Short mmCIF file of all heavy atoms in Angstrom, two decimals:
data_model
loop_
_atom_site.label_atom_id
_atom_site.label_comp_id
_atom_site.label_asym_id
_atom_site.label_seq_id
_atom_site.Cartn_x
_atom_site.Cartn_y
_atom_site.Cartn_z
N VAL Z 1 18.23 -47.80 0.04
CA VAL Z 1 17.39 -47.40 1.10
C VAL Z 1 16.12 -48.24 0.85
O VAL Z 1 15.60 -48.38 -0.27
CB VAL Z 1 16.95 -45.98 1.22
CG1 VAL Z 1 15.98 -45.78 2.29
CG2 VAL Z 1 18.30 -45.09 1.40
N SER Z 2 15.70 -48.96 1.91
CA SER Z 2 14.55 -49.75 1.90
C SER Z 2 13.26 -49.05 2.33
O SER Z 2 13.29 -48.09 3.13
CB SER Z 2 14.59 -50.92 2.81
OG SER Z 2 13.41 -51.66 3.00
N LYS Z 3 12.12 -49.20 1.56
CA LYS Z 3 10.81 -48.51 1.66
C LYS Z 3 10.28 -48.97 3.05
O LYS Z 3 9.79 -48.01 3.68
CB LYS Z 3 9.86 -48.94 0.61
CG LYS Z 3 8.45 -48.09 0.65
CD LYS Z 3 7.68 -48.51 -0.48
CE LYS Z 3 6.33 -47.69 -0.38
NZ LYS Z 3 5.61 -47.94 0.84
N ASP Z 4 10.54 -50.13 3.52
CA ASP Z 4 9.96 -50.52 4.93
C ASP Z 4 10.63 -49.63 5.96
O ASP Z 4 9.98 -49.45 6.89
CB ASP Z 4 10.32 -52.06 5.07
CG ASP Z 4 9.44 -52.92 4.20
OD1 ASP Z 4 8.47 -52.49 3.62
OD2 ASP Z 4 9.96 -54.04 3.94
N VAL Z 5 11.99 -49.44 5.82
CA VAL Z 5 12.56 -48.57 6.80
C VAL Z 5 12.04 -47.17 6.82
O VAL Z 5 11.83 -46.58 7.85
CB VAL Z 5 14.07 -48.47 6.47
CG1 VAL Z 5 14.89 -47.46 7.39
CG2 VAL Z 5 14.75 -50.04 6.76
N ILE Z 6 11.87 -46.56 5.66
CA ILE Z 6 11.25 -45.21 5.55
C ILE Z 6 9.89 -45.08 6.20
O ILE Z 6 9.55 -44.29 6.88
CB ILE Z 6 11.12 -44.76 4.08
CG1 ILE Z 6 12.60 -44.80 3.44
CG2 ILE Z 6 10.61 -43.41 4.02
CD1 ILE Z 6 13.59 -43.70 4.16
N ASP Z 7 9.07 -46.25 5.90
CA ASP Z 7 7.69 -46.22 6.36
C ASP Z 7 7.78 -46.40 7.86
O ASP Z 7 6.92 -45.78 8.66
CB ASP Z 7 6.91 -47.41 5.85
CG ASP Z 7 6.62 -47.17 4.41
OD1 ASP Z 7 6.60 -46.00 3.91
OD2 ASP Z 7 6.37 -48.25 3.69
N ALA Z 8 8.81 -47.11 8.49
CA ALA Z 8 8.78 -47.30 9.93
C ALA Z 8 9.17 -46.05 10.56
O ALA Z 8 8.66 -45.66 11.71
CB ALA Z 8 9.84 -48.42 10.17
N ILE Z 9 10.10 -45.22 9.96
CA ILE Z 9 10.52 -43.85 10.50
C ILE Z 9 9.27 -42.95 10.52
O ILE Z 9 8.93 -42.15 11.38
CB ILE Z 9 11.72 -43.34 9.83
CG1 ILE Z 9 12.91 -44.25 10.15
CG2 ILE Z 9 11.96 -41.93 10.31
CD1 ILE Z 9 14.14 -43.78 9.35
N ASP Z 10 8.57 -42.99 9.32
CA ASP Z 10 7.30 -42.11 9.02
C ASP Z 10 6.35 -42.38 10.03
O ASP Z 10 5.62 -41.46 10.58
CB ASP Z 10 6.96 -42.30 7.58
CG ASP Z 10 5.89 -41.14 7.24
OD1 ASP Z 10 6.07 -40.04 7.74
OD2 ASP Z 10 5.15 -41.48 6.40
N ALA Z 11 6.11 -43.65 10.49
CA ALA Z 11 5.13 -44.05 11.41
C ALA Z 11 5.53 -43.82 12.87
O ALA Z 11 4.64 -44.05 13.72
CB ALA Z 11 4.72 -45.52 11.14
N GLY Z 12 6.76 -43.37 13.03
CA GLY Z 12 7.14 -43.17 14.47
C GLY Z 12 7.75 -44.43 15.22
O GLY Z 12 7.99 -44.43 16.38
N GLU Z 13 7.79 -45.56 14.37
CA GLU Z 13 8.16 -46.80 15.12
C GLU Z 13 9.71 -46.60 15.52
O GLU Z 13 10.05 -47.31 16.50
CB GLU Z 13 7.95 -47.97 14.17
CG GLU Z 13 6.46 -48.17 13.82
CD GLU Z 13 6.25 -49.28 12.84
OE1 GLU Z 13 7.24 -49.79 12.37
OE2 GLU Z 13 5.04 -49.58 12.44
N ILE Z 14 10.44 -46.09 14.68
CA ILE Z 14 11.85 -45.90 15.02
C ILE Z 14 12.25 -44.38 14.65
O ILE Z 14 11.57 -43.77 13.87
CB ILE Z 14 12.83 -46.76 14.08
CG1 ILE Z 14 12.52 -46.66 12.69
CG2 ILE Z 14 12.60 -48.16 14.50
CD1 ILE Z 14 13.51 -47.44 11.70
N SER Z 15 13.24 -43.92 15.45
CA SER Z 15 13.64 -42.46 15.08
C SER Z 15 14.59 -42.25 14.02
O SER Z 15 14.66 -41.19 13.39
CB SER Z 15 14.04 -41.82 16.43
OG SER Z 15 15.25 -42.50 16.77
N LYS Z 16 15.42 -43.30 13.85
CA LYS Z 16 16.49 -43.26 12.89
C LYS Z 16 16.90 -44.63 12.46
O LYS Z 16 16.54 -45.63 13.11
CB LYS Z 16 17.85 -42.63 13.46
CG LYS Z 16 18.22 -43.31 14.64
CD LYS Z 16 19.44 -42.40 15.24
CE LYS Z 16 19.94 -43.14 16.59
NZ LYS Z 16 21.08 -42.25 17.16
N TYR Z 17 17.57 -44.83 11.43
CA TYR Z 17 18.08 -46.20 10.86
C TYR Z 17 19.43 -46.04 10.32
O TYR Z 17 19.85 -44.99 9.60
CB TYR Z 17 17.06 -46.70 9.81
CG TYR Z 17 17.63 -47.89 9.15
CD1 TYR Z 17 17.40 -49.19 9.88
CD2 TYR Z 17 18.24 -47.89 7.97
CE1 TYR Z 17 17.97 -50.35 9.30
CE2 TYR Z 17 18.76 -49.05 7.44
CZ TYR Z 17 18.51 -50.31 8.03
OH TYR Z 17 19.08 -51.52 7.53
N TYR Z 18 20.24 -47.08 10.52
CA TYR Z 18 21.52 -47.23 9.96
C TYR Z 18 21.90 -48.82 9.90
O TYR Z 18 21.42 -49.47 10.76
CB TYR Z 18 22.66 -46.44 10.62
CG TYR Z 18 22.84 -46.78 12.10
CD1 TYR Z 18 23.50 -47.88 12.55
CD2 TYR Z 18 22.18 -45.94 12.96
CE1 TYR Z 18 23.63 -48.19 13.87
CE2 TYR Z 18 22.34 -46.10 14.36
CZ TYR Z 18 23.06 -47.33 14.72
OH TYR Z 18 23.16 -47.61 16.04
N PRO Z 19 22.40 -49.24 8.78
CA PRO Z 19 22.84 -50.70 8.62
C PRO Z 19 23.57 -51.17 9.83
O PRO Z 19 24.43 -50.40 10.36
CB PRO Z 19 23.51 -50.85 7.37
CG PRO Z 19 23.15 -49.53 6.64
CD PRO Z 19 22.96 -48.48 7.62
N GLU Z 20 23.54 -52.42 10.13
CA GLU Z 20 24.38 -52.97 11.23
C GLU Z 20 25.79 -53.11 10.88
O GLU Z 20 26.63 -53.38 11.62
CB GLU Z 20 23.82 -54.38 11.61
CG GLU Z 20 22.39 -54.33 12.27
CD GLU Z 20 21.87 -55.65 12.62
OE1 GLU Z 20 22.54 -56.66 12.35
OE2 GLU Z 20 20.64 -55.64 13.17
N LYS Z 21 26.13 -53.09 9.62
CA LYS Z 21 27.54 -53.04 9.06
C LYS Z 21 27.48 -52.54 7.68
O LYS Z 21 26.51 -52.24 7.14
CB LYS Z 21 28.03 -54.53 9.12
CG LYS Z 21 27.21 -55.43 8.22
CD LYS Z 21 27.83 -56.91 8.17
CE LYS Z 21 27.01 -57.76 7.28
NZ LYS Z 21 27.51 -59.21 7.25
N PHE Z 22 28.80 -52.36 7.14
CA PHE Z 22 28.89 -51.97 5.82
C PHE Z 22 28.24 -52.98 4.86
O PHE Z 22 28.60 -54.18 4.84
CB PHE Z 22 30.40 -51.79 5.45
CG PHE Z 22 31.06 -50.67 6.05
CD1 PHE Z 22 31.87 -50.73 7.11
CD2 PHE Z 22 30.86 -49.30 5.66
CE1 PHE Z 22 32.56 -49.72 7.74
CE2 PHE Z 22 31.51 -48.27 6.21
CZ PHE Z 22 32.39 -48.53 7.26
N ILE Z 23 27.43 -52.41 3.97
CA ILE Z 23 26.66 -53.34 3.11
C ILE Z 23 26.95 -53.08 1.71
O ILE Z 23 27.52 -52.11 1.31
CB ILE Z 23 25.23 -53.09 3.38
CG1 ILE Z 23 24.74 -51.67 3.01
CG2 ILE Z 23 24.75 -53.41 4.75
CD1 ILE Z 23 23.24 -51.47 2.99
N HIS Z 24 26.64 -54.11 0.76
CA HIS Z 24 26.81 -54.05 -0.55
C HIS Z 24 28.35 -54.00 -1.00
O HIS Z 24 29.13 -53.85 -0.07
CB HIS Z 24 26.09 -52.87 -1.28
CG HIS Z 24 24.56 -53.02 -1.10
ND1 HIS Z 24 23.77 -53.87 -1.79
CD2 HIS Z 24 23.70 -52.35 -0.31
CE1 HIS Z 24 22.58 -53.76 -1.47
NE2 HIS Z 24 22.49 -52.86 -0.58
N ARG Z 25 28.58 -54.06 -2.13
CA ARG Z 25 30.04 -54.04 -2.65
C ARG Z 25 30.69 -52.73 -2.50
O ARG Z 25 31.88 -52.56 -2.39
CB ARG Z 25 30.14 -54.54 -4.10
CG ARG Z 25 29.71 -56.01 -4.27
CD ARG Z 25 29.81 -56.45 -5.66
NE ARG Z 25 29.36 -57.80 -5.90
CZ ARG Z 25 29.39 -58.48 -6.96
NH1 ARG Z 25 29.78 -57.72 -8.10
NH2 ARG Z 25 29.04 -59.64 -7.13
N LYS Z 26 29.83 -51.71 -2.42
CA LYS Z 26 30.39 -50.36 -2.19
C LYS Z 26 30.72 -50.06 -0.68
O LYS Z 26 31.11 -48.96 -0.23
CB LYS Z 26 29.43 -49.23 -2.67
CG LYS Z 26 29.21 -49.30 -4.17
CD LYS Z 26 28.17 -48.21 -4.58
CE LYS Z 26 27.95 -48.29 -6.11
NZ LYS Z 26 26.98 -47.25 -6.58
N MET Z 27 30.43 -51.07 0.19
CA MET Z 27 30.64 -50.94 1.60
C MET Z 27 29.96 -49.69 2.19
O MET Z 27 30.51 -48.77 2.84
CB MET Z 27 32.08 -50.94 1.81
CG MET Z 27 32.82 -52.19 1.58
SD MET Z 27 34.60 -52.14 1.95
CE MET Z 27 35.08 -50.95 0.75
N SER Z 28 28.63 -49.50 1.79
CA SER Z 28 27.82 -48.31 2.20
C SER Z 28 27.48 -48.35 3.67
O SER Z 28 27.21 -49.36 4.30
CB SER Z 28 26.49 -48.24 1.33
OG SER Z 28 26.82 -48.33 -0.04
N LEU Z 29 27.52 -47.18 4.19
CA LEU Z 29 27.03 -46.94 5.56
C LEU Z 29 26.39 -45.57 5.65
O LEU Z 29 26.85 -44.56 5.06
CB LEU Z 29 28.22 -46.99 6.52
CG LEU Z 29 27.84 -46.64 8.01
CD1 LEU Z 29 26.92 -47.76 8.52
CD2 LEU Z 29 29.13 -46.51 8.91
N TYR Z 30 25.24 -45.60 6.00
CA TYR Z 30 24.39 -44.41 6.05
C TYR Z 30 23.49 -44.24 7.28
O TYR Z 30 23.27 -45.28 7.89
CB TYR Z 30 23.51 -44.18 4.75
CG TYR Z 30 22.62 -45.32 4.51
CD1 TYR Z 30 21.35 -45.33 5.09
CD2 TYR Z 30 23.09 -46.43 3.90
CE1 TYR Z 30 20.48 -46.36 4.86
CE2 TYR Z 30 22.18 -47.57 3.67
CZ TYR Z 30 20.85 -47.51 4.18
OH TYR Z 30 19.92 -48.54 3.92
N LEU Z 31 23.01 -43.06 7.51
CA LEU Z 31 21.93 -42.88 8.56
C LEU Z 31 20.84 -42.04 8.01
O LEU Z 31 20.93 -41.11 7.46
CB LEU Z 31 22.56 -42.08 9.76
CG LEU Z 31 21.69 -42.03 11.07
CD1 LEU Z 31 22.58 -42.02 12.26
CD2 LEU Z 31 20.91 -40.70 11.05
N ILE Z 32 19.66 -42.53 8.32
CA ILE Z 32 18.41 -41.95 7.78
C ILE Z 32 17.63 -41.49 9.06
O ILE Z 32 17.33 -42.25 9.96
CB ILE Z 32 17.57 -42.74 6.88
CG1 ILE Z 32 18.34 -43.10 5.72
CG2 ILE Z 32 16.29 -42.03 6.50
CD1 ILE Z 32 17.67 -44.20 4.75
N THR Z 33 17.07 -40.23 9.03
CA THR Z 33 16.23 -39.75 10.17
C THR Z 33 15.43 -38.54 9.59
O THR Z 33 15.47 -38.21 8.43
CB THR Z 33 17.02 -39.41 11.26
OG1 THR Z 33 16.09 -39.02 12.53
CG2 THR Z 33 17.85 -38.16 11.00
N ARG Z 34 14.53 -37.93 10.54
CA ARG Z 34 13.87 -36.65 10.23
C ARG Z 34 14.23 -35.58 11.06
O ARG Z 34 14.31 -35.85 12.31
CB ARG Z 34 12.29 -37.04 10.23
CG ARG Z 34 11.90 -38.04 9.20
CD ARG Z 34 10.45 -38.18 9.22
NE ARG Z 34 9.72 -37.03 8.62
CZ ARG Z 34 8.47 -36.88 8.52
NH1 ARG Z 34 7.70 -37.91 8.89
NH2 ARG Z 34 7.92 -35.71 8.04
N ILE Z 35 14.36 -34.45 10.57
CA ILE Z 35 14.79 -33.13 11.27
C ILE Z 35 13.65 -32.13 10.70
O ILE Z 35 13.84 -31.77 9.48
CB ILE Z 35 16.13 -32.73 11.20
CG1 ILE Z 35 17.13 -33.75 11.61
CG2 ILE Z 35 16.26 -31.43 11.99
CD1 ILE Z 35 18.58 -33.40 11.53
N ASP Z 36 12.80 -31.72 11.75
CA ASP Z 36 11.95 -30.41 11.28
C ASP Z 36 11.04 -30.92 10.02
O ASP Z 36 11.04 -30.20 8.98
CB ASP Z 36 12.59 -29.30 11.00
CG ASP Z 36 13.25 -28.62 12.24
OD1 ASP Z 36 12.85 -29.08 13.39
OD2 ASP Z 36 14.06 -27.82 12.11
N GLU Z 37 10.54 -32.14 10.02
CA GLU Z 37 9.67 -32.73 8.99
C GLU Z 37 10.42 -32.92 7.74
O GLU Z 37 9.75 -33.20 6.64
CB GLU Z 37 8.45 -31.74 8.77
CG GLU Z 37 7.56 -31.43 10.03
CD GLU Z 37 7.08 -32.68 10.53
OE1 GLU Z 37 6.65 -33.59 9.71
OE2 GLU Z 37 6.92 -32.84 11.75
N LYS Z 38 11.67 -32.81 7.58
CA LYS Z 38 12.44 -33.06 6.36
C LYS Z 38 13.23 -34.33 6.65
O LYS Z 38 13.76 -34.73 7.73
CB LYS Z 38 13.31 -31.93 6.06
CG LYS Z 38 12.61 -30.76 5.65
CD LYS Z 38 13.51 -29.62 5.15
CE LYS Z 38 12.68 -28.47 4.63
NZ LYS Z 38 13.61 -27.32 4.09
N TRP Z 39 13.37 -35.08 5.46
CA TRP Z 39 14.07 -36.36 5.53
C TRP Z 39 15.60 -35.99 5.32
O TRP Z 39 16.04 -35.23 4.50
CB TRP Z 39 13.67 -37.25 4.49
CG TRP Z 39 12.27 -37.81 4.70
CD1 TRP Z 39 11.15 -37.28 4.28
CD2 TRP Z 39 11.88 -38.87 5.35
NE1 TRP Z 39 10.04 -37.88 4.63
CE2 TRP Z 39 10.47 -38.99 5.38
CE3 TRP Z 39 12.63 -39.92 6.19
CZ2 TRP Z 39 9.74 -40.06 6.08
CZ3 TRP Z 39 11.92 -40.84 6.75
CH2 TRP Z 39 10.52 -40.94 6.67
N VAL Z 40 16.49 -36.62 6.13
CA VAL Z 40 17.94 -36.35 6.19
C VAL Z 40 18.64 -37.75 5.88
O VAL Z 40 18.21 -38.71 6.57
CB VAL Z 40 18.44 -35.66 7.39
CG1 VAL Z 40 19.90 -35.42 7.34
CG2 VAL Z 40 17.68 -34.51 7.84
#
C-alpha cells in the first residue's frame, strides 16, 4: 500500500483505491476505502 494513496483517500480526493491490474510477483489485488471513519 502506498502512503500517497492513503493520503489521497484521507483528504477526500478519492473514495477508494484498487490497482489497475494484478501487481507484484504475488499478483496482489486489493481495495482500500473508509467505512464509518475506519480504514478497510
Side-chain angles (χ1 to χ4, degrees):
V1 179
S2 170
K3 185 177 183 301
D4 294 337
V5 170
I6 299 300
D7 291 340
I9 296 174
D10 194 27
E13 296 176 3
I14 56 176
S15 62
K16 60 186 176 182
Y17 173 81
Y18 51 85
E20 295 181 359
K21 60 181 180 179
F22 288 103
I23 60 172
H24 298 285
R25 293 182 180 178
K26 297 181 179 180
M27 295 181 291
S28 301
L29 180 63
Y30 59 87
L31 185 146
I32 299 173
T33 188
R34 295 185 68 177
I35 302 176
D36 295 341
E37 302 300 323
K38 291 188 177 181
W39 293 91
V40 182

